[in-house]
Each structure stands twice: as C-alpha cells, then as structure tokens.
Amino acid sequence: MVEIRKCSFCYKEIEPGTGKAYVKKDGTIFNFCTSKCYKNMIELKRIPRTTAWTDKAAFEKSIRVKALEKKE
C-alpha cells in the first residue's frame, strides 16, 4: 500500500517517488513537494500561514473572512 504524504509547507499531497525529505537532528521529518517549499521553510525560515500561496494561508484567510461576516 502506498503511503500518502503531505508537504510540510504547502500541505499539498506528494506523489509517491517524488519530493524531498529533510530530517532534523532531533529526528523530525519534513516532506516537501518542490524545492520552492524547501527553500521557503528551511533556508528562508518562512511560516506557511503567512505565505500567501500556501493552502494554510488560504484556510486561515477564509476563517478571518467568515468571522468578519458574522460581525456585520
């Protein structure tokens, strides 16, 4: 059975046999779908929820919009 993995930065599904895995010294494993995600998280130290093109940012934005609509 093939294990379905998600990118640690953008949360998209990674096809088997593709992507990159990064293992920290403490044993934490990060899976990345593209080098763009790897560079943003590891090299540039960006946070997924503040990066506009990620699914996590879109999800948090939808929550904020719903909260504003309820106030009105």
Side-chain angles (χ1 to χ4, degrees), residues 32-49:
F32 300 103
C33 58
T34 61
S35 61
K36 178 181 179 180
C37 292
Y38 170 79
K39 288 175 187 175
N40 274 283
M41 187 169 200
I42 302 301
E43 295 177 8
L44 301 175
K45 299 184 184 345
R46 291 188 176 149
I47 301 169
R49 70 174 183 267

Side-chain angles (χ1 to χ4, degrees), residues 33-71:
C33 58
T34 61
S35 61
K36 178 181 179 180
C37 292
Y38 170 79
K39 288 175 187 175
N40 274 283
M41 187 169 200
I42 302 301
E43 295 177 8
L44 301 175
K45 299 184 184 345
R46 291 188 176 149
I47 301 169
R49 70 174 183 267
T50 61
T51 308
W53 53 268
T54 62
D55 289 342
K56 185 71 172 177
F59 176 73
E60 294 213 358
K61 183 178 179 181
S62 67
I63 290 174
R64 287 192 308 264
V65 169
K66 287 179 185 176
L68 287 173
E69 289 175 352
K70 286 182 180 180
K71 285 185 177 181

Side-chain angles (χ1 to χ4, degrees), residues 8-43:
S8 298
F9 191 74
C10 69
Y11 298 99
K12 292 182 182 175
E13 289 187 3
I14 303 172
E15 293 184 20
T18 62
K20 182 185 282 192
Y22 179 81
V23 182
K24 290 175 59 173
K25 289 181 183 178
D26 64 359
T28 306
I29 300 172
F30 293 116
N31 295 303
F32 300 103
C33 58
T34 61
S35 61
K36 178 181 179 180
C37 292
Y38 170 79
K39 288 175 187 175
N40 274 283
M41 187 169 200
I42 302 301
E43 295 177 8

